[in-house]
Amino acid sequence: MNKAWLIGAVLLLTATSAIILPKLADLDSSVQQRNGTVETFTGSHNTVLDNNNLVDVLGALPLTLSIDSVGWEDHVLSLDLKVSGNDHEPEELYQNMAQAISFAIQETSNVDQLLLRIVVEDKWLGSRRLLFAGDIRRSEWSYTLQEELQSAGNFPISDRLKTGFRISETELWKKQFIYP
């Protein structure tokens, strides 16, 4: 009789768990919706970056700027995109930046911070100069900021976007691209 009672209790506990656990998961998402924090890209955090796949994964990104250098350490991705030539508009650079941010934050599960720099190559002097840089953190990323960057066009980006993505612009960027 003791064994039958134990088996019955285990079956009852199993059935109850199968019913209650999905309800708890739904409850959690409704609380998040009420508080305004909803993950909109469920299932898109597929890529796990590491030193073995870094070059292949980043090389497959549809960027129009070339990748100048890449670094990966302690969940921080460092990425330098290179501008070469004079036929680039701010919109193209913003789009490349938005694409890199989208990849790092929305398509990976282990990038907590993206250090992104846009550099220009001076072929005459054989040197590189910084145009602008961003320090984008997963914990502070928002879809609104991402959309704002993607739709910035050829205009200067807002102070809100500069603060949210910690973007700093050099004088060269302002003189060469924004206020020619």
Side-chain angles (χ1 to χ4, degrees), residues 97 114-118 132-136 165-168:
M97 191 173 183
L114 171 65
L115 301 175
L116 180 62
R117 299 188 322 167
I118 307 291
F132 61 92
D135 177 357
I136 301 89
F165 284 164
R166 290 183 173 85
I167 296 173
S168 55

Side-chain angles (χ1 to χ4, degrees), residues 126-169:
S127 64
R128 299 176 334 156
R129 295 184 63 195
L130 182 65
L131 292 175
F132 61 92
D135 177 357
I136 301 89
R137 299 175 186 194
R138 181 180 295 277
S139 60
E140 298 170 4
W141 176 90
S142 77
Y143 187 72
T144 306
L145 290 174
Q146 182 77 23
E147 284 291 312
E148 188 176 332
L149 180 60
Q150 288 176 327
S151 61
N154 286 323
F155 301 103
I157 55 178
S158 70
D159 289 337
R160 188 173 85 80
L161 186 58
K162 288 178 189 175
T163 302
F165 284 164
R166 290 183 173 85
I167 296 173
S168 55
E169 303 169 320

Side-chain angles (χ1 to χ4, degrees), residues 109-122:
S109 60
N110 65 331
V111 176
D112 294 332
Q113 184 178 12
L114 171 65
L115 301 175
L116 180 62
R117 299 188 322 167
I118 307 291
V119 296
V120 64
E121 182 179 45
D122 187 339

Side-chain angles (χ1 to χ4, degrees), residues 91-106:
E91 181 176 25
E92 178 188 4
L93 278 59
Y94 295 149
Q95 291 296 321
N96 277 263
M97 191 173 183
Q99 179 66 38
I101 294 168
S102 175
F103 165 75
I105 304 299
Q106 295 174 284

